[in-house]
Amino acid sequence: MAGKKDKKIIVGNWKMNPNSQVEALRTFESIKKKAGKLRNVQTVICPPAIYLSSLGKKVTGHRCVLGAQNTFWENKTGSFTGETSADMLSGVGAEYVIVGHSERRAIGEDNKVVGKKLISALKAGMNIILCVGEQERDNDGEYLRFIAKELVIALNDIPRRYCLNVIIAYEPIWAIGKDAERPATPEDVHEMSIFIRKVLSEVVGKDFAMTIPILYGGSVNPKNSQAFLESGGIQGLLVGRASLKAETFNKILEQSNETSVS
Ligand code: PGA
């Protein structure tokens, strides 16, 4: 695979952290310093939306940029209390946006809502990171049908040219967060990346499917990140807890810079 695949995409999802803008700026500055030196990594930091604007002023160059964790499906301004449109997010410096994270699906976002958010963010010119992932694995392959459905409903209706701005993040729910059963294994991820690529081929056609990077997320840390990149059949990582401390995340960035993807 060529083009943006050669660069690993490493995304830090800060979720609802940190508690102050001062700390957000400090952490971002030190990640940016490291990321700016790494030519084989595209670093994307997704802070809480409230910090985007101040962090956006610190972005220099393309190696370390910003993403949002969520957006709204309507792009026109209007009576949508509490919502933030993709145009607004990109206006303050977010180039990427995470759509359909399992923690948002858990509070009521269904596949249809995810699809609407995705299209409005794409129309606003953003790169979208579409999260998919099963709650649990069963022996009958039901989890594969679940993932396929998440992909099909979100991507079926998008104009094909938008595929160039789509990234898929495979995040099995059982592997996410501090209560995770365990991280997935690189073998789990490899098997799933092949499956996702097959579904993508059916939905958007083989040529476009090959341009879509697939990331893995769920309990990624400096000890396991390299193995996921080397043997997971993926092009990057979506990192939660291990992205909150610059020192830890920078280790993942450094290792990813040295790692060749399969
Ligand atoms: P985690 O979170 O790395 O803390 O498991 C990943 C995510 O939810 O994106």
Side-chain angles (χ1 to χ4, degrees):
M1 280 183 236
K4 64 180 174 178
K5 294 301 168 29
D6 297 334
K7 257 194 188 234
K8 275 79 66 182
I9 302 170
I10 311 295
V11 183
N13 175 12
W14 285 0
K15 308 191 180 182
M16 204 169 78
N17 298 281
N19 222 3
S20 79
Q21 179 162 290
V22 172
E23 197 185 334
L25 281 165
R26 199 185 306 129
T27 307
F28 183 70
E29 287 285 12
S30 90
I31 291 173
K32 192 186 85 171
K33 203 164 155 210
K34 171 64 67 188
K37 298 186 188 121
L38 308 176
R39 60 166 61 222
N40 301 323
V41 173
Q42 172 65 62
T43 302
V44 182
I45 297 297
C46 301
I50 190 84
Y51 302 143
L52 275 172
S53 173
S54 53
L55 267 52
K57 295 191 183 88
K58 304 288 175 193
V59 172
T60 45
H62 297 288
R63 286 190 183 161
C64 184
V65 298
L66 293 171
Q69 299 173 14
N70 182 31
T71 182
F72 191 53
W73 64 70
E74 185 59 73
N75 236 334
K76 286 197 298 287
T77 52
S79 307
F80 304 107
T81 303
E83 298 294 351
T84 312
S85 73
D87 275 341
M88 292 172 184
L89 294 167
S90 75
V92 293
E95 295 180 29
Y96 291 72
V97 59
I98 298 171
V99 180
H101 190 279
S102 58
E103 287 157 12
R104 296 217 52 88
R105 293 181 189 261
I107 50 173
E109 268 184 32
D110 61 16
N111 282 328
K112 272 220 157 97
V113 168
V114 170
K116 288 203 295 182
K117 290 185 170 190
L118 187 138
I119 192 79
S120 81
L122 286 169
K123 282 186 179 156
M126 299 182 87
N127 297 300
I128 66 101
I129 302 164
L130 170 65
C131 296
V132 296
E134 76 281 3
Q135 186 81 46
E136 55 188 11
R137 291 206 168 186
D138 59 298
N139 293 329
D140 305 323
E142 196 51 49
Y143 70 99
L144 294 172
R145 281 188 281 282
F146 183 86
I147 301 281
K149 195 169 162 196
E150 288 188 323
L151 290 167
V152 171
I153 298 180
L155 298 174
N156 220 10
D157 296 331
I158 66 165
R160 295 295 171 254
R161 67 178 187 285
Y162 284 147
C163 293
L164 300 171
N165 298 100
V166 172
I167 296 164
I168 305 296
Y170 170 56
E171 295 213 305
I173 298 169
W174 48 267
I176 293 178
K178 63 177 178 4
D179 299 324
E181 283 168 35
R182 60 169 179 91
T185 62
E187 294 72 38
D188 293 331
V189 175
H190 196 201
E191 180 195 277
M192 188 55 86
S193 68
I194 293 170
F195 178 74
I196 289 175
R197 188 104 31 224
K198 178 172 153 281
V199 176
L200 290 175
S201 296
E202 287 158 14
V203 183
V204 300
K206 189 160 181 271
D207 290 349
F208 278 119
M210 296 308 279
T211 67
I212 298 179
I214 300 173
L215 317 184
Y216 167 71
S219 301
V220 172
N221 59 44
K223 290 205 178 87
N224 62 22
S225 58
Q226 209 164 355
F228 284 124
L229 288 174
E230 273 169 0
S231 336
I234 49 167
Q235 290 75 45
L237 301 164
L238 177 46
V239 186
R241 281 158 296 159
S243 70
L244 298 179
K245 292 237 174 332
E247 204 191 342
T248 313
F249 191 60
N250 286 349
K251 279 191 199 141
I252 295 177
L253 294 178
E254 262 181 347
Q255 287 171 8
S256 304
N257 191 55
E258 302 302 323
T259 307
S260 304
V261 292
S262 48

